[in-house]
Amino acid sequence: MIDRDRLASLRADEEARFVALHPRSAELAAEAGRSLLAGVPMPWMTRWPGGFTVFVASATGAQLTDVDGVRYVDLCLGDTGAMTGHALPEVVAAIDAQAPRGITTMLPSADASWVAEELTHRFGLPRWQFAMSATDANRFVLRFARHLTGRPRIAVMDWCYHGTVDETLAVLDGDRVVPRPGAMGPQVDVAMTTAVVPFNDLEALDRRLAEGDVAALLMEPALTNIGIVLPEEGYSEAVRGITRRHDVLLVIDETHTLCAGPGGCTAAWGLEPDLLVVGKPIAGGVPLAAYGMSRDVADRLLAPMLSAEADVSGVGGTLTANPLALAAARATLSSTLREEDFAVAVPLAARFTAGVAEVIARHGLPWHVQRLGCRAEYWFCPPPRDGAAAAAATDEDLEGLLHLWCLNRGVLLTPFHNMALFSPHHTEADVDRHTEVFADAVAALVG
C-alpha cells in the first residue's frame, strides 16, 4: 500500500531538512570522525536517522536539547536507561554527596544492602548480586546455570534480545540454530551453545527441553527488542511448568519489561523465576544491573562464591557495585519507578497507543500499535505472535522515514524500532504532539 517512490522522495526532503536544522552537530560529527570509529563512541549510535548523529547539550526530565538548540520530547529515554526521566534531582544529589567520599573501593557500602532488600520487595527473590550492565548479569546467571546443572546449553526465544551475550545472538533458520544477522565474530558455533524456540510455542519448548541438555531458559516475559510480542493466555504459567518438569532453571530478563510496573512483569503477572535480571534505569542512568535468585539457587551457589577462586570465576568485575552506583540506585528506587510513577506514565502510553491506532485506522493501513505498561510501539504489519514474524515485517525504509520525520519536528523515538517510552515527566501534550506529527507523516506518505 506504500508508494516507494513517494517514500524515497519524502526521505530525501527530510534528510535535507535535517542537515539544515543541525549545523553544529554536523561540525562535531566531522570532528568525531577523525578519532572515533564510525564517528561515534559506541556503534549503536550510528542507528539514528539523518546523515550524521545529533550531539546532545543537555537532558532533563522528559526533554532533550541538542547543540543546535533544538528541543525534543524524548520518547527514547536512552533506550530505557533513563526511563525515570533525565537528571533526577534525587540522583544528582546522591552522586554529589557520594563522589567526595569515594567512587569505587571494591568494598561494600550500606546502600548495597538497602538496594537488595528493595529489589526483594519488588520482585520477590531473596538474594541479589550486582553487575555493571544487564548484559553482564545475563552472562553471569548463565554461568551459574551451567555450573549448577552440569548441562552445556542454554535456551532462548527466537529473535530475543539479552544484550551482547554470545549465546543469545542466535535465531532459527528452519530447524537449524544459526547466528543472528549482524552478530559479529561468534566465538563458537551457536548451535553448540544454544537451543532456540519460538515465542508462544509451548510444544516446541517442551520438545526441545525434553532432550535434557539445557541448563536454563533465558527469556523476557514479553519480547521487546523486536517489537512488543505479548504472551498468549496461559503461556507464562505453562512455560514455568515445562521448565520445572525438565529441571531447567527459568531466568527472567526484566531489563526492558520493567515498564510493566515496579516489579516488572514478574510482580504484575505473578511469575516465579529461579533467577531474574534487571538493569538499565535502576540507578537513574548510572551504569548498574542486578540479578536475583531463589533461596534454593542461592544456597547451592554459596560454596563456590566463598571459594578462593571466586575472583576468576567469570563472575564479577572490579568496578561492579561501586558506592557511587549503589548510592544512585538507592536514590532512584526511593524516588521513582514506584506505583505512583507508573500511575502517571502508563496512562500516557495508553493515550499514545490510542492516538496512533486512530491514525492507522483512519487511513485503513494494515499496521498495528502494541503496548506493555509505559512502553508502546507501532509496526507496519498485523500483530505477530512470535519474533520471527515480527522480524519479517521490518521495513527499514519506512521506519527510517517516520523516525526522521519525528526527529525533524522535535519528537525523539528509539532508533532501533518504533518504540516510545513514557516517564512521570511526560505530559499529555507530549503525547499529542507525537500523534500530530505521526498523523502528518502518514498523510504525506499515503497521499
Side-chain angles (χ1 to χ4, degrees), residues 33-340:
R34 295 196 292 268
S35 55
L36 296 172
L37 178 63
V40 290
M42 194 268 281
W44 301 354
M45 295 178 185
T46 63
R47 294 290 302 277
W48 289 97
F52 46 85
T53 305
V54 168
F55 281 69
V56 176
S58 64
T60 305
Q63 299 287 324
L64 185 148
T65 304
D66 70 22
V67 293
D68 289 289
V70 180
R71 296 187 66 189
Y72 303 89
V73 175
D74 187 3
L75 301 183
C76 172
L77 295 178
D79 191 25
T80 309
M83 194 173 90
T84 58
H86 297 288
L88 282 173
E90 295 84 355
V91 174
V92 172
I95 292 172
D96 186 58
Q98 180 59 49
R101 302 199 302 263
I103 292 173
T104 188
T105 59
M106 215 182 77
L107 287 167
S109 65
D111 290 334
S113 298
W114 188 97
V115 173
E117 290 175 4
E118 176 64 17
L119 293 173
T120 292
H121 172 71
R122 290 174 179 238
F123 294 99
L125 293 165
R127 295 289 183 272
W128 291 83
Q129 288 271 283
F130 296 99
M132 290 295 290
S133 69
T135 291
D136 279 345
N138 280 320
R139 286 194 185 103
F140 299 163
V141 298
L142 295 181
R143 284 181 174 271
F144 290 151
R146 289 190 293 263
H147 173 80
L148 292 175
T149 65
R151 297 175 178 178
R153 283 186 172 83
I154 60 105
V156 297
M157 296 296 163
D158 196 21
W159 290 93
C160 68
Y161 187 72
H162 299 284
T164 57
V165 180
D166 289 316
E167 300 100 310
T168 67
L169 299 176
V171 295
L172 287 173
D173 179 10
D175 293 331
R176 298 171 54 241
V177 175
V178 299
R180 180 169 174 159
M184 296 179 65
Q187 59 178 346
V188 295
D189 180 356
V190 286
M192 297 174 59
T193 64
T194 309
V196 180
V197 296
F199 194 74
N200 277 323
D201 190 334
L202 292 169
E203 290 185 6
L205 178 66
D206 195 16
R207 186 168 58 250
R208 183 60 188 85
L209 297 191
E211 296 184 28
D213 60 346
V214 170
L217 170 63
L218 171 61
M219 64 177 291
E220 292 182 295
L223 296 184
T224 60
N225 228 43
I226 195 65
I228 297 170
V229 181
L230 295 174
E232 295 174 345
E233 184 70 26
Y235 176 73
S236 301
E237 296 83 356
V239 166
R240 178 69 277 195
I242 291 169
T243 55
R244 283 183 172 141
R245 184 163 66 251
H246 296 296
D247 199 23
V248 171
L249 294 170
L250 176 61
V251 184
I252 295 293
D253 185 348
E254 292 271 20
T255 300
H256 283 164
T257 54
L258 185 60
C259 62
C265 293
T266 296
W269 299 350
L271 307 182
E272 299 178 356
D274 298 300
L275 297 117
L276 181 145
V277 169
V278 65
K280 294 213 179 189
I282 64 170
V286 176
L288 182 72
Y291 53 99
M293 61 201 75
S294 68
R295 192 171 303 278
D296 175 67
V297 170
D299 288 345
R300 293 161 65 190
L301 284 173
L302 185 58
M305 289 300 97
L306 294 175
S307 72
E309 291 78 25
D311 61 329
V312 291
S313 63
V315 175
T318 303
L319 301 180
T320 299
N322 66 75
L324 190 73
L326 270 302
R330 182 170 184 168
T332 301
L333 298 175
S334 298
S335 62
T336 190
L337 299 176
R338 304 162 301 173
E339 291 286 358
E340 53 263 48

Side-chain angles (χ1 to χ4, degrees), residues 415-435:
F416 314 118
H417 37 88
N418 310 303
M419 192 271 279
L421 189 66
F422 294 89
S423 75
H425 303 278
H426 286 98
T427 65
E428 290 184 350
D430 294 334
V431 176
D432 295 344
R433 176 58 180 159
H434 170 270
T435 303

